[in-house]
Amino acid sequence: MLNARDNFLETLHHGKPDAFVNEWEPFGFVFDPLMGVTLIAQPGKYVVDGWGTTIYMGEDEPGAMPIVRDDNKAIPDITEWKKYIKSPDIKQKLDWTAAKEQAEAIHKENKLTVSLMATGLFEQSHYLMGFEDTLMNFLLEPEAMEELLDYITDYKLTYAQILVENLHPDVVLFHDDWGSKTSLFMSPEVWREMLKPRYQKIYGYLKSQGVIIIHHADSFCQPIAKDMVDIQMDVWQGVLPQNDIPAIQKETEGKLILMGGLDASIMDLKDYSEDVIRGEVARACREYAPGGSFIPCLTYGGEGSIFAGVNDIIMDEIRNQNKLYFK
């Protein structure tokens, strides 16, 4: 029987996996010093990050959120964005000792090292000026927006190069949500004009260095699924069941691993039902396994569930489903 790491690699390379990849089981997350510089949220506190965005994370909330108002926008006028912002200093001397020790320990467990790169190009834009301004500026001030996106892209490329040179993770997990539960935030044409060529640069570099790319977008992104293949994304993590997953599997011809498919809204609840959880896992495997290139998983951008116990049931049921789909 393959270990979790090799089973993922067989799935990724269309080999002969002997089980479903069980959520995040093949991976180990490394907290690297670049994250320490850029991800500075503190539970229960308002903080201002290196870009000038006010960030807040509630005591019992699973993640941090930007707090963007008219009186605190980092970029109040996109046409003069150069006046207002400067990217964080990531070229400073950093101590990679602890991160390298973490990575070594993960490899000894036969797992793949994962480094998180957040926040993505679209998310970074709306962190700086809010959703409304970002989406309107795509249409009304495209030249200024493209200049800003080029600046953010250069920063992300520098970040990626420093990360690879010092740690060389097996996997980079990139976060950028491009849609709601039922639609893209922008037209596919705008996405292709504004974001696609810049992701081709970032992901092109990472792929040239042998890094596996997992992109988190718990969104409806079906209209750009083939474009995800074009930008060399290996795994779309967070694919919501509101997408037509079998249609995407057919359209992308197995070139894009789809990691998700489980409806957290009916599973990850304080008063959860074990029967509902197991039924949802069974449904997803039944509907999506035949199309291949599928990893059953909660659609969150990392390990675990919000409510204790939910993810344990999910992983147990995935193991049960293996008996039906693998010899």
Side-chain angles (χ1 to χ4, degrees):
M1 184 174 180
L2 296 170
N3 63 39
R5 171 189 178 276
D6 291 341
N7 194 58
F8 168 75
L9 293 175
E10 287 292 309
T11 301
L12 179 67
H13 299 306
H14 309 294
K16 294 183 178 180
D18 58 16
F20 287 115
V21 175
N22 201 329
E23 297 203 296
W24 298 93
E25 199 172 43
F27 311 112
F29 284 79
V30 180
F31 186 88
D32 63 71
L34 288 172
M35 293 172 64
V37 172
T38 58
L39 302 179
I40 60 171
Q42 300 177 39
K45 295 184 179 180
Y46 290 89
V47 297
V48 178
D49 70 12
W51 289 91
T53 299
T54 300
I55 304 292
Y56 179 76
M57 181 175 178
E59 294 281 1
D60 298 318
E61 295 173 2
M65 295 295 291
I67 307 300
V68 183
R69 304 183 304 266
D70 286 341
D71 64 346
N72 75 346
K73 289 177 184 176
I75 301 178
D77 181 351
I78 185 61
T79 64
E80 298 188 320
W81 67 268
K82 293 177 184 177
K83 280 176 43 178
Y84 298 111
I85 65 161
K86 187 177 181 181
S87 60
D89 178 15
I90 54 174
K91 293 183 179 180
Q92 60 186 282
K93 185 175 177 59
L94 299 169
D95 185 357
W96 290 84
T97 305
K100 290 178 179 180
E101 290 174 352
Q102 286 181 42
E104 184 178 357
I106 290 166
H107 282 149
K108 285 181 178 178
E109 295 177 358
N110 272 329
K111 293 188 175 185
L112 298 165
T113 56
V114 179
S115 289
L116 172 66
M117 280 186 67
T119 304
L121 304 184
F122 175 68
E123 290 183 356
Q124 187 60 68
S125 298
H126 75 68
Y127 271 45
L128 294 172
M129 65 190 84
F131 258 84
E132 295 87 349
D133 283 11
T134 301
L135 294 173
M136 290 299 293
N137 287 331
F138 278 155
L139 303 178
L140 299 178
E141 297 290 349
E143 290 184 7
M145 278 300 299
E146 293 211 56
E147 287 180 2
L148 174 62
L149 287 168
D150 284 340
Y151 183 74
I152 297 171
T153 299
D154 288 344
Y155 165 80
K156 293 295 181 182
L157 277 169
T158 300
Y159 188 116
Q161 289 161 359
I162 294 170
L163 182 63
V164 168
E165 289 167 6
N166 287 279
L167 188 65
H168 207 293
D170 300 310
V171 178
V172 162
L173 173 61
F174 210 99
H175 276 219
D176 206 13
D177 291 329
W178 295 325
S180 70
K181 198 172 185 177
T182 57
S183 67
L184 286 169
F185 289 134
M186 64 208 80
S187 71
E189 292 75 22
V190 169
W191 183 91
R192 291 177 186 125
E193 179 182 354
M194 293 291 180
L195 300 179
K196 183 176 180 177
R198 293 166 177 89
Y199 270 106
Q200 286 176 314
K201 288 183 180 179
I202 298 168
Y203 288 174
Y205 167 73
L206 289 169
K207 292 295 289 184
S208 75
Q209 301 302 306
V211 177
I212 297 166
I213 298 166
I214 299 180
H215 183 106
H216 166 76
D218 50 350
S219 319
F220 181 87
C221 295
Q222 184 172 344
I224 56 170
K226 289 183 73 173
D227 299 279
M228 293 179 176
V229 176
D230 293 343
I231 64 175
Q232 301 189 67
M233 187 188 299
D234 291 300
V235 180
W236 172 11
Q237 189 277 322
V239 55
L240 297 172
Q242 283 72 26
N243 295 275
D244 187 340
I245 292 176
I248 295 171
Q249 290 170 313
K250 185 176 181 179
E251 183 180 28
T252 56
E253 302 176 319
K255 297 174 184 176
L256 181 66
I257 303 297
L258 302 176
M259 182 177 181
L262 303 183
D263 190 347
S265 69
I266 64 171
M267 305 169 76
D268 199 3
L269 308 170
K270 186 175 182 180
D271 56 346
Y272 65 82
S273 162
E274 181 171 342
D275 288 344
V276 169
I277 294 171
R278 292 188 183 277
E280 173 63 5
V281 173
R283 177 206 63 79
C285 292
R286 182 172 62 252
E287 294 184 9
Y288 311 141
S293 301
F294 171 64
I295 298 174
C297 187
L298 276 174
T299 54
Y300 308 147
E303 295 179 277
S305 53
I306 295 173
F307 294 97
V310 170
N311 209 56
D312 293 334
I313 298 170
I314 291 171
M315 295 186 73
D316 183 63
E317 186 56 36
I318 291 171
R319 288 188 284 269
N320 288 340
Q321 294 296 313
N322 286 334
K323 302 169 188 175
L324 300 177
Y325 294 93
F326 297 89
K327 294 182 180 180

